[in-house]
Amino acid sequence: MTLSNTATGAIAKSKRNAPLINENVQAVGLFLISLIVFLLFWEIGARFGLFSQGMPTASKTLQEFCWWTTHPFFNNGPNDLGIGWNLLISLRRVAIGYILASLIAVPLGVLMGISPVAYKAFNPYVQLLKPVSPLAWLPLGLYVLRDSEQTGIFIILISSIWPTLINTAFGVANVDKDYLDVANVLGASRWRTIFKVIIPAALPNIVSGLRISMGISWLVIVAAEMLLGTGLGYFIWNEWNNLYIPNILVAIFIIGLVGLLLDSVFAALEKFVAFGRNS
Amino acid sequence: MNGAMPTNQVSPSAQLSIRNVTKVFAGKKGWFDQLTRKTKADFTAIQDISLEIEPNTFVSIIGPSGCGKSTLLGMIAGLMSITDGEIVLNAQPITGPGPDRGMVFQNYALMPWMTVEENIRFAVETVHPQLSAKAMSRVIKENIQLVGLTGAEQKHPHELSGGMRQRVGIARALAINPQILLMDEPFGALDALTRGFLQDEIERIWEQQRKTVIMITHSIEEALLLSDRIVMMTRGPAARVDEILEVPFPRPRNRETIDQHPAYHALKAEMESHLFRETRAVEAARIQRAE
Ligand SMILES: Nc1ncnc2c1ncn2[C@@H]1O[C@H](COP(=O)(O)OP(=O)(O)O)[C@@H](O)[C@H]1O
Ligand SMILES: [Mg+2]
């Protein structure tokens, strides 16, 4: 391979750096090789019928991917909607449910973190409701709200509220005692201490909570939409009913990509609020 | 030399009077604790300490670790309740924290999300909210200048060295213009060289401002270099003041020439023997408990 040549003949100083560069180059190389092997295996396997019948080839799937991504916004009714529209519909549901959840979780988490009484009083709800599968709420949501759109948002809200709530309460309860002493010695008021010291000090925890919640929202929306009318989840469900597998694979890839993008936004935000802490 | 004042007798010139102060950390003895067999006895950290501190003096407190120095300072700062006795500042008993006392922390306790300037601004704004924006900026600038951090105003603490961080800590404590500066092992986390620089800095600032300072330290040399009086505490539990040393060296002091003073070595030897004795007793008690 071309990768191994970089270190040879290098002087001693750059040799010490060489393994680092090599590691990244090797990783990229390995990634590309495994990808090629995987695609070849898929292509050949599908062509010669090694998998179940109707399994599309890699090239067919890539072709579909190119088509869907170059024609994202067409609208021929709910069962024939461009993937861009479906994506926006899913994102909109996630955004509304997630923002509502965060607006509840952060203040409630701050309260639970500050007040041991509030913590003890509300913790049983959290512990009881947190492990419930999001889909368990679906029938209840549909019955109470009688609206698929609102039900989708409700499910996002109820499932993404917990990580933010728990992380916020933890962060607030574990603010470095030194910071509180600083505020106390200065005679800072309760509100000033909360807004200028406690919340900024807990921000790294709050943001990691928000990050986990966002990941959960994105997981849940696809599942929930299979039982609702539109969105990426419904797109997959619809293609399953059409028994057209390439489009399902395209949707899976897009869902993963968008999830990755959302997560990196929060990873960047985490870095931004860390200020040299735990890194 | 032995300047321990008779207890209960209040010096009229004192700025801060610690009168028969005792601190007991309450144990766990409730019915629930007994049920879960997690009872814990009360712990008397400090017993019946009295101390008079005159205005414009630099007082160091030294003693074996765990004897209750931080506890005493915490009570003076108003962060901790006083179990028995009272602490009187300017004829007013201390009931809580107040802007008349500034605190420098061992681990700097700077807010990581605030810049140097914002850290100091937070303190000034909290204590003097009525200051005009212009006056506020002037106070902040002066104090940054005082500790030699001009140019680093917009840096965050994680971009600074330990020594620079503690400079911010000192500037923040002084910026509110307290009557008394409280320092709990302020240089304990620094390397020897940086520690020396900061001691010189404190000496220089003290010559300028002559504020009352109460500093906890583990370093005999540091106490001798900076203090007018050194309070030596006994080991805990129920720690007391063992002895108070007057440090007669003229000011301004210089670390290079200070050991040429005739009293230097006698004072140093006295402190060493006190610390050795108390620490050895702590060790012996620990070994006995382990056996
Ligand atoms: N909040 C607390 N609860 C119970 N015991 C405490 C508490 N704070 C300190 N102590 C005990 O009081 C003693 C004195 O502590 P401290 O004042 O921190 O010592 P120093 O600063 O001299 O090293 C120690 O034995 C410590 O374990
Ligand atoms: Mg201490």
Side-chain angles (χ1 to χ4, degrees), chain A residues 177-189 192-193 196-198 200-202 273-277, chain B residues 77 79 97-99 101-103 105 107 109-114 121-123 125-127 156 158 172 176:
Chain A
K177 193 171 166 300
D178 275 357
Y179 303 154
L180 299 177
D181 280 350
V182 169
N184 279 341
V185 165
L186 293 167
S189 68
R192 188 169 168 81
T193 306
K196 290 276 184 171
V197 179
I198 293 177
V273 300
F275 292 112
R277 283 174 283 183
Chain B
L79 292 173
R101 284 148 287 156
M103 184 111 172
F105 297 82
N107 295 317
L110 303 178
M111 315 290 175
W113 59 92
M114 295 182 188
R121 182 179 291 275
F122 173 74
E125 248 173 22
T126 306
V127 174
H156 283 90
H158 72 276
R172 177 177 62 185
I176 62 167

Side-chain angles (χ1 to χ4, degrees), chain B residues 65-71 106 184-185 216 218:
Chain B
S65 60
C67 77
K69 305 180 292 294
S70 298
T71 304
Q106 177 173 5
D184 191 347
E185 298 186 39
I216 294 173
H218 271 300

Side-chain angles (χ1 to χ4, degrees), chain A residues 81-260:
Chain A
L81 201 58
I83 199 125
W85 285 126
N86 278 316
L87 176 62
L88 286 179
I89 288 166
S90 295
L91 280 174
R92 183 171 163 273
R93 285 181 181 141
V94 164
I96 296 173
Y98 174 78
I99 289 170
L100 285 177
S102 305
L103 287 177
I104 299 168
V106 172
L108 193 59
V110 170
L111 178 69
M112 284 174 69
I114 289 172
S115 155
V117 174
Y119 184 86
K120 283 178 184 157
F122 298 138
N123 198 34
Y125 295 105
V126 177
Q127 297 308 328
L128 184 79
L129 297 181
K130 182 183 61 155
V132 175
S133 164
L135 296 184
W137 295 100
L138 198 73
L140 185 71
L142 281 171
Y143 180 78
V144 172
L145 299 167
R146 307 202 174 250
D147 178 276
S148 64
E149 185 70 22
Q150 285 177 20
T151 303
I153 290 168
F154 165 71
I155 303 246
I156 294 300
L157 189 156
I158 201 81
S159 52
S160 72
I161 202 167
W162 312 116
T164 304
L165 180 60
I166 292 166
N167 272 270
T168 303
F170 176 84
V172 167
N174 289 286
V175 168
D176 193 332
K177 193 171 166 300
D178 275 357
Y179 303 154
L180 299 177
D181 280 350
V182 169
N184 279 341
V185 165
L186 293 167
S189 68
R190 193 91 186 117
W191 286 111
R192 188 169 168 81
T193 306
I194 290 173
F195 284 106
K196 290 276 184 171
V197 179
I198 293 177
I199 291 177
L203 210 52
N205 291 98
I206 297 174
V207 172
S208 20
L210 288 170
R211 183 180 177 183
I212 301 168
S213 286
M214 177 47 84
I216 287 185
S217 300
W218 194 238
L219 277 179
V220 167
I221 190 65
V222 175
E225 279 172 345
M226 294 208 171
L227 303 164
L228 300 176
T230 42
L232 281 174
Y234 182 72
F235 177 87
I236 289 183
W237 187 249
N238 197 30
E239 294 302 334
W240 163 242
N241 286 333
N242 297 341
L243 268 182
Y244 192 60
I245 308 300
N247 286 353
I248 295 180
L249 293 169
V250 168
I252 286 175
F253 189 69
I254 288 175
I255 290 166
L257 210 61
V258 173
L260 177 71

Side-chain angles (χ1 to χ4, degrees), chain B residues 44-224:
Chain B
T44 308
I46 289 175
Q47 179 118 48
D48 200 22
I49 282 190
S50 293
L51 198 62
E52 299 288 314
I53 290 169
E54 319 286 320
N56 312 332
T57 50
F58 196 119
V59 177
S60 291
I61 301 178
I62 202 163
S65 60
C67 77
K69 305 180 292 294
S70 298
T71 304
L72 183 60
L73 207 70
M75 287 190 292
I76 298 171
L79 292 173
M80 263 184 213
S81 65
I82 302 165
T83 311
D84 200 12
E86 62 175 354
I87 300 178
V88 178
L89 175 61
N90 296 324
Q92 291 289 324
I94 286 172
T95 53
D100 41 12
R101 284 148 287 156
M103 184 111 172
V104 176
F105 297 82
Q106 177 173 5
N107 295 317
Y108 325 125
L110 303 178
M111 315 290 175
W113 59 92
M114 295 182 188
T115 62
V116 167
E117 197 250 330
E118 286 164 348
N119 265 287
I120 298 170
R121 182 179 291 275
F122 173 74
V124 182
E125 248 173 22
T126 306
V127 174
H128 305 293
Q130 76 288 354
L131 274 186
S132 69
K134 219 171 133 195
M136 184 96 62
S137 297
R138 190 174 44 80
V139 170
I140 295 164
K141 199 172 159 219
E142 274 171 10
N143 281 280
I144 288 177
Q145 204 167 16
L146 180 71
V147 296
L149 277 179
T150 307
E153 293 90 341
Q154 300 312 320
K155 287 207 157 57
H156 283 90
H158 72 276
E159 300 169 282
L160 305 177
S161 68
M164 286 165 89
R165 286 183 210 179
Q166 194 57 301
R167 283 169 197 262
V168 182
I170 293 165
R172 177 177 62 185
L174 290 174
I176 62 167
N177 196 21
Q179 294 179 26
I180 300 188
L181 187 63
L182 307 172
M183 303 201 279
D184 191 347
E185 298 186 39
F187 313 130
L190 300 174
D191 64 87
L193 196 65
T194 312
R195 199 179 170 124
F197 286 145
L198 273 159
Q199 287 164 355
D200 292 346
E201 203 81 333
I202 286 286
E203 162 68 6
R204 181 181 61 76
I205 292 169
W206 194 82
E207 295 297 342
Q208 270 180 38
Q209 303 196 342
R210 301 238 161 197
K211 270 189 205 311
T212 308
V213 177
I214 304 175
M215 177 179 79
I216 294 173
T217 179
H218 271 300
S219 160
I220 291 172
E221 288 80 9
E222 183 169 288
L224 286 171

